[in-house]
């Protein structure tokens, strides 16, 4: 049995133009491994991540034949039991630390809030755990960072703080939704290395949501390619060249490369049949 | 003589203790019909240089010359006829309550150019927009279509120089390919000169003949495509950037 099992997940939203199915019956399983969900904007990849944590609010509708995490039925859990899973056992890192961190609380207060009020820990103990976690994401001057406000930090620093914060409860599964897309390329590499280390050391499962197929191929074990709410292809990250689906192949080919021939880039000719 | 000459440019925002020196002594020159790239990370000052050329940033030192003529303090109509800018975010760069038609016709009205109808239709055709979109509003268009409108607007006055500020970074990869192809085609067809800013080394390499790498408001290295491809970058920062983009160097996975 896998850590997370999802069968025929559907997510729909009502819009002025009628209901829109953002996710249309996808199934996948995640073990203690690194799985990437890749697709372009509107493919349903973020909504998939959010629906696992029951973060899709009405009027959005989530339905699935089965959604099990570590033997528990995520669809049947009470809101109270769900809260015990969210953050504790399944954590999520959002795309942009600018929006996900509370702008009027210091980093220290945000990081220790859960430990103090949920776990009833003393201020000192909570602080020392927070600083330890900051060290785990390569922030060495933890004391100073704890006193800082989110706007006083760079994007890369903010994202490390977010990752540190998510790791405090030692979750079994981490969902990272474009965790490096708001960052510069050199910083991106550092953050990925940190995530990679943590996942390996702690034996966590990771769902890495991204639009960048080449990036995830270097970093994940398996890749699920989504197009218009469906998984159109499942690949071994080491063998992207085995991709069969024209959408996956198109995504890989349409990027310019350094030292390329500078000819016209191949463009995707979207086939209506891909969405079937 | 180079078409664009930037000589020891300084841009400082704010004063005294809060002063931010965004650009610190940058010199770059771009020949006519050349395509020149500026790469660097956020905050390195690359976009500020484009804004300074347009008179949108407080220049505190140095010179900008176009065809040997220093920029006037206030940019004139003649300036905008020669130089136009394409902004990063097509969602923010278009007026939400103006149709494509109104957006494209505005520069013509300002400059008193006749033949609005036929020029708008031709501009849309040139950037590959279906004429059906002419009376649509930005929210009725996709990101790629909007960026085509922004590019069409920049070309309405038939400028010689396009300043491109991250023209594809808000777009999906497959749409990026379409827009880059469009920009490459237009440059050839109209003998345009490009000064292009991007954080993506592979995009710059694909589009530009030469490039400057920026860090902390300064140019740390200038090199051409051949040098980049042959691992000829010398500065540690350029090399770090190159390494971080390395997964972009593996080229196309599948033959055409």
């Amino acid at each position: 049995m896998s850590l997370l099992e999802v069968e025929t997940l559907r997510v729909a939203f009502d819009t002025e133009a009628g209901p829109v199915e953002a996710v249309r019956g996808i199934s996948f399983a995640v073990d203690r491994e690194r799985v990437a969900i890749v697709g372009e904007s509107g493919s349903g990849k973020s909504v998939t991540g959010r629906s696992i944590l029951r973060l899709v609010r009405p009027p959005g509708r989530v339905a699935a034949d089965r959604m099990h995490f570590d033997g528990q039925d995520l669809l049947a859990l009470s809101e109270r039991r769900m809260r015990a899973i969210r953050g504790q056992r399944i954590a999520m890192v959002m795309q942009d630390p600018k929006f996900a961190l509370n702008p009027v609380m210091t980093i220290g207060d945000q990081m220790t809030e859960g430990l103090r009020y949920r776990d009833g820990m003393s201020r000192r103990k909570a602080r020392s755990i927070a600083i330890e976690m900051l060290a785990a994401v390569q922030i060495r001057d933890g004391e100073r960072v704890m006193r800082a406000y989110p706007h006083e930090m760079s994007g890369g620093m903010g994202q490390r703080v977010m990752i540190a914060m998510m790791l405090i409860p030692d979750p079994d599964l981490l969902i990272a939704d474009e965790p490096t897309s708001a960052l510069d390329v050199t910083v991106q590499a550092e953050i990925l290395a940190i995530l990679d280390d943590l996942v390996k050391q702690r034996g966590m499962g990771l769902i890495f949501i991204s639009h960048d197929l080449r990036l995830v191929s270097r970093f994940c074990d398996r890749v699920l390619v989504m197009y218009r709410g469906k998984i159109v292809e499942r690949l071994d990250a080491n063998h992207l060249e085995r991709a069969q689906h024209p959408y996956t192949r198109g995504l890989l080919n349409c990027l310019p490369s350094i030292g390329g021939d500078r000819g016209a880039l191949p463009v995707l000719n979207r086939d209506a049949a891909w969405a079937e | 003589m180079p078409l664009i000459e930037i000589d020891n440019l300084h841009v400082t925002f704010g004063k005294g203790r809060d002063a931010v020196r965004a650009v610190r002594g940058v010199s770059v020159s771009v020949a006519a019909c050349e395509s020149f790239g500026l790469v660097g990370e956020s905050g390195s000052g690359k976009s500020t240089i484009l804004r300074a050329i347009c008179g949108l940033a407080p220049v505190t030192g140095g010179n900008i010359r176009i065809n040997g003529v220093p920029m006037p303090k206030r940019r004139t109509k003649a300036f905008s006829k020669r130089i136009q800018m394409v902004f990063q975010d097509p969602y923010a760069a278009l007026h939400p309550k103006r149709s494509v038609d109104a957006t494209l016709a505005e520069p013509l009205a300002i400059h008193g150019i006749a033949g609005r109808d036929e020029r708008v239709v031709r501009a849309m055709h040139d950037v590959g927009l279906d004429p059906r979109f002419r009376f649509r509003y930005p929210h009725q268009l996709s990101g790629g279509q909007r960026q085509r409108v922004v590019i069409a607007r920049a070309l309405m006055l038939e400028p010689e120089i396009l300043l491109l500020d991250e023209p594809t970074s808000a777009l999906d990869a497959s749409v990026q390919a379409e827009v880059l192809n469009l920009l490459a085609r237009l440059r050839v067809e109209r003998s345009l000169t490009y000064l292009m800013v991007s954080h993506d080394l592979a995009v710059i390499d694909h589009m530009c003949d030469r490039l400057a790498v920026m860090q902390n408001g300064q140019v740390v290295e200038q090199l051409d495509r051949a040098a980049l491809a042959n691992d000829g970058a010398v500065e540690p920062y350029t090399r770090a950037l190159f390494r971080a983009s390395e997964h972009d160097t593996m080229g196309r996975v599948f033959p055409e």
Side-chain angles (χ1 to χ4, degrees), chain A residues 195-238:
Chain A
L195 259 182
D196 194 35
D197 260 8
L198 292 168
V199 169
K200 273 191 202 138
Q201 278 170 20
R202 292 165 186 247
M204 274 192 270
L206 175 72
I207 298 180
F208 191 92
I209 298 169
S210 175
H211 66 279
D212 190 337
L213 196 48
R214 288 188 187 173
L215 177 86
V216 303
S217 71
R218 287 201 303 178
F219 175 68
C220 292
D221 303 314
R222 288 193 298 133
V223 181
L224 311 175
V225 182
M226 279 187 81
Y227 178 74
R228 303 257 314 261
K230 297 221 161 178
I231 295 177
V232 294
E233 184 145 30
R234 296 161 199 266
L235 285 166
D236 248 358
N238 306 332

Side-chain angles (χ1 to χ4, degrees), chain B residues 171-193:
Chain B
L171 306 174
D172 273 325
S174 60
V175 183
Q176 165 172 288
E178 291 169 19
V179 172
L180 291 181
N181 287 348
L182 170 67
L183 287 170
R185 173 171 65 82
L186 289 170
R187 187 163 84 89
V188 175
E189 283 175 6
R190 304 186 171 214
S191 324
L192 292 165
T193 304

